[in-house]
Every structure is written in structure tokens, then in C-alpha cells.
Amino acid sequence: MLNLVLFGPPGAGKGTQSAFLVQEYSLIHLSTGDLLRAEIAAGTPLGMEAKQLMDQGLLVPDSVVIGMIRNKLEQNTQAKGFIFDGFPRTVEQANALDALLSEKQTAISAMLALVVSEEELVKRLLNRGKDSGRSDDQDESIIRKRITEYNQKTAPLAEFYANQGKYIPIEGIGAISEITSALKTAISKL
Ligand code: B4P
């Protein structure tokens, strides 16, 4: 199986690049951000709890997102592989993912990390906020809070996967198609 973690700060291009990789490699796309926004749109209690945190730029509890990923893995037992977009975001989530995949006799193949400067991230997200309707993209202070959460809780995962020999940094600034090509080149070497 090909199991990829697409990693990077908010606005790095994870969602954008996942769309191309999913098609190219016939993988199942699992985005915890999309799953949470679907819960919000459906007005579920989980969605209401998540919205409160997301609107402040904070991560939602590990137990919530781990449960969502577990369900999706169980619903897709025949998959050729998965692309994890926006998950894991904490060391606890990364350990849970390793355990869930090892139950299925598989593992993460690589972490592809999109590297983008903070000023570029803020610019992209404010730009998306103009027409996406995403409340967490509207306000620069919330965007900066998301980046701080990332630096404190998520960035250490680069070392977590580097220790497993699976961390691959990719330049995330440039034309979207050039970044897709760089990702494909990295995947072809796995
Ligand atoms: P996510 O939905 O994961 O979203 P994101 O980090 O904001 O953005 P992403 O990286 O996918 O955006 P993209 O680059 O595609 O998270 C939202 C929130 O959900 C989190 O803050 C958190 O509260 C919660 N959450 C989600 N997962 C969680 C977890 N595991 N644990 C706890 N909480 C969790 O796009 C950004 C913009 O850049 C787009 O407009 C795009 O068009 C543009 N862009 C992309 N590539 C570009 C390029 N090369 N050049 C110029 N623009 C580009």
C-alpha cells in the first residue's frame, strides 16, 4: 500500500496538492479538516464543538480526529492506499495512526512536507477567505494563531517521521503544477 502523510502549515497547499495526488495514484483522500467541516455543515454536536475551536484557530481534541480516521480506515478496507491531509497534527495522533495502520499490516510510506514561509501562508489564507466563506480564514489574528498552534504542536512531527527515515521536505512556493511534479518525483523514489 502507498500511505502518504501530506504535511505542512495551514495554507501550505495540502488540500490543493492532495486533489492531484489522489487522482494520479488512486488513493483515498482523508482530510480531517474536510471531515470536521462536513460535521459542522450537518450541524452535529461534534461539529458544533469543533467549530468553536476552529474559529479560534485551535486544534480540536485528539480523541475526536483519531476516532474519525479510525472510522474511515474501517470503511475502506479494499483501498490501494491513503493520503492523510492535515492528519496527524500532534504526536499523539501520529502514534495512534501508526497503531491503526499496523493493525492493518501496513504503515506510512513517507511524510511529504510542504515548506512555505509564514508571510506567504498569511497572504494565501486571507486571499482564500475573501470567497471561501471559511470563518477561520477571515481574520489575520486567527490565521496567525493557527500558525502558532502548528509551530508548537504539529511541527515536531517532522522529527517524529525523520526518526523513522520517512521525512521528505518539498519546496511549497512556486507554481502549483511545479510543486505537484516535485511531489511525484519524491513518490517515484519510494
Ligand atoms: P485544514 O482543513 O487541514 O486546513 P488548512 O491547514 O487551513 O489548509 P490547507 O493546507 O489544506 O490549505 P491549502 O494549502 O489547500 O484545517 C482547518 C482546521 O481544522 C485547523 O485549524 C484545526 O482547527 C482543525 N483540524 C483539522 N485537522 C485537525 C487535526 N488532525 N487535529 C486537530 N485539529 C484539526 O490552501 C490554502 C490556499 O492556498 C488556497 O486558497 C490555495 O488555492 C492556495 N494555494 C495552494 N497552493 C498554492 C501555491 N503553490 N501558490 C499560491 N497559492 C496556493
Side-chain angles (χ1 to χ4, degrees):
M1 279 175 96
L2 179 64
N3 297 311
L4 303 171
V5 171
L6 197 53
F7 185 73
K14 303 183 294 287
T16 305
Q17 295 298 336
S18 291
F20 296 108
L21 299 181
V22 161
Q23 274 209 326
E24 179 81 18
Y25 301 100
S26 307
L27 302 173
I28 303 278
H29 180 210
L30 296 184
S31 158
T32 39
D34 287 351
L35 293 170
L36 290 167
R37 283 184 289 277
E39 295 282 342
I40 293 170
T44 64
L46 188 157
M48 295 303 97
E49 184 196 342
K51 182 171 169 36
Q52 260 199 342
L53 294 161
M54 289 163 78
D55 282 351
Q56 296 174 67
L58 301 172
L59 295 181
V60 306
D62 288 330
S63 57
V64 170
V65 285
I66 292 166
M68 290 193 318
I69 290 289
R70 184 185 293 115
N71 288 341
K72 289 287 167 187
L73 292 178
E74 282 166 6
Q75 286 163 14
N76 289 285
T77 48
Q78 302 305 317
K80 286 168 107 181
F82 295 92
I83 180 155
F84 297 95
D85 162 6
F87 180 90
R89 264 176 153 101
T90 64
V91 172
E92 186 172 340
Q93 292 179 23
N95 279 318
L97 181 59
D98 277 356
L100 286 169
L101 292 177
S102 113
E103 278 171 26
K104 294 167 72 72
Q105 267 100 47
T106 186
I108 290 299
S109 314
M111 173 207 248
L112 302 166
L114 295 168
V115 180
V116 179
S117 65
E118 177 162 342
E119 287 323 301
E120 171 73 11
L121 298 172
V122 172
K123 200 172 81 186
R124 286 185 190 178
L125 293 176
L126 282 173
N127 201 34
R128 180 171 68 185
K130 285 182 199 154
D131 44 34
S132 71
R134 270 182 62 168
S135 43
D136 58 346
D137 283 347
Q138 311 283 331
D139 179 325
E140 182 168 337
S141 66
I142 292 169
I143 291 172
R144 290 202 186 269
K145 178 68 194 164
R146 285 157 66 192
I147 296 171
T148 303
E149 279 275 275
Y150 171 84
N151 287 333
Q152 287 175 353
K153 298 180 181 164
T154 309
L157 291 184
E159 199 182 332
F160 180 96
Y161 285 98
N163 288 338
Q164 298 185 7
K166 294 177 180 173
Y167 171 73
I168 305 175
I170 304 279
E171 171 61 55
I173 297 186
I176 289 172
S177 59
E178 283 169 13
I179 297 164
T180 310
S181 297
L183 288 164
K184 283 193 208 163
T185 302
I187 294 167
S188 71
K189 292 181 188 156
L190 292 177

